[in-house]
Structure formats: structure tokens, C-alpha cells
Amino acid sequence: MRRRPGWLRVGPATVLALTVAVGALIAVGLRAPATPDPGAAAVAGRPAPALSGATLDGGRFALSDARGQVVLVNVFASWCGPCRDELPVLVDAERSWSPRGVRLVGLNIRDGADAVRALLDETGATGLTVLPDPDGTRAVEWGVRGVPETFVVGRDGRLVDRRQGVVTRQWLEQRIAPLLAG
């Protein structure tokens, strides 16, 4: 049996020390405050990409027809756990703010209609306007990097903000309330 060189010998104490160090780094990373979304600054002020077509329920939607409203475009998928978690928050925000001109539109990527309908039923989002994007082409046009991702489109049709990852009620209040004040 060949012996390993001294620098390759790993004892239980070394393994334990490495495990504790890695665990500590993970814990610190999970507790670290969220960093600002670098994509948000890059989109602010640009015209929102076109978004129109047949909806999941057979209707039609065109972002250009929503001028004058604040539109939340949420990119989601039924197979995305965080998307499932945030949909009730988004639907509640739309219900609260729709009298003041807020509209929520879902852009569903790489899904089947039955899976999307089941998700909408589960999350209480059955009235959500959903544009299917089965091959992800529309999402690419919007610069989506993953799901969930949410874009805020101002009343003038320009992008105001973008959130990569799950939105919270606090994030929505910070971004939407100022747009409704004026």
C-alpha cells in the first residue's frame, strides 16, 4: 500500500474544521442583506419591449393598450417554486392597487396550459392575465435571466424597475406607491 505525501493526509480534525468553515460561510451568505438588483438600473427609463398576443383564457392583451396604467409584468413558470410563493403577493397587490391604475400581467415561460391553470387555481390567481411564452422568446426580448422576474412599467410605457427573484410586499410598496402618488 502506497503512502500519501504528508500534505495529502487528511484527518478527522481537518475534515471537521473544513466542514465548520464551509457551514459558517453559507450561514453568513444567507444572512447577508440582499444586494441591489444590478439589472434594475440598466432598464430604468428605457421603453418597455412590446408585449402582446393571445392570453391563456383566449382573450387578447397588448401592453401598448395599458398606457396610463402602472403595469407589473411577472415572468413565471408553474415548475418554479419561488414563482408559486410570490404569485399570491402579486395578485393581492393588484387587487389593492387596481383602482389606482395598477395592472398585473403574467408572462408564462416553458409551460403547458394545464400546468399554468393548476398553478393559478392553487395560488388564487385565476383572474390573472397570462401570456403564454412556450419557447421563451418573449422572455428573451425582455432580457429575462431566470424566473421569477418582475418588471415595473410606468404609465408612460417606460421601464421603471426590475426585480430578479421573488418580490415581496415591501419591494412592491417601495416601487409602486411613488408611481401612484402623482
Side-chain angles (χ1 to χ4, degrees):
M1 182 167 165
R2 285 179 34 175
R3 293 195 72 197
R4 293 185 205 156
W7 60 271
L8 280 179
R9 290 189 195 130
V10 178
T14 305
V15 171
L16 178 62
L18 285 172
T19 303
V20 168
V22 169
L25 286 173
I26 291 171
V28 167
L30 291 175
R31 289 177 164 229
T35 56
D37 184 353
V43 302
R46 290 192 359 222
L51 185 62
S52 64
T55 61
L56 184 66
D57 64 5
R60 302 246 352 123
F61 173 81
L63 184 60
S64 59
D65 293 342
R67 261 305 144 96
Q69 295 181 308
V70 174
V71 181
L72 296 169
V73 177
N74 177 251
V75 184
F76 74 100
S78 68
W79 41 263
C80 164
C83 299
R84 184 176 303 275
D85 295 340
E86 81 174 355
L87 264 176
V89 173
L90 288 161
V91 168
D92 183 55
E94 181 187 36
R95 284 184 187 134
S96 297
W97 291 324
S98 64
R100 296 175 63 195
V102 173
R103 174 99 188 259
L104 173 62
V105 177
L107 181 60
N108 175 254
I109 64 169
R110 302 197 175 160
D111 250 331
D114 291 340
V116 178
R117 286 186 183 99
L119 172 65
L120 297 178
D121 286 342
E122 277 179 41
T123 58
T126 53
L128 177 63
T129 300
V130 176
L131 288 166
D133 188 11
D135 62 1
T137 304
R138 290 178 176 161
V140 169
E141 292 168 358
W142 277 71
V144 172
R145 295 189 182 121
V147 289
E149 195 159 333
T150 303
F151 296 83
V152 179
V153 181
R155 295 179 191 276
D156 61 358
R158 294 187 171 281
L159 292 168
V160 175
D161 213 330
R162 166 193 207 162
R163 172 71 176 174
Q164 295 172 314
V166 177
V167 298
T168 62
R169 183 66 183 195
Q170 179 184 4
W171 186 88
L172 290 167
E173 287 173 0
Q174 290 172 348
R175 272 52 178 202
I176 305 303
L179 300 175
L180 302 177

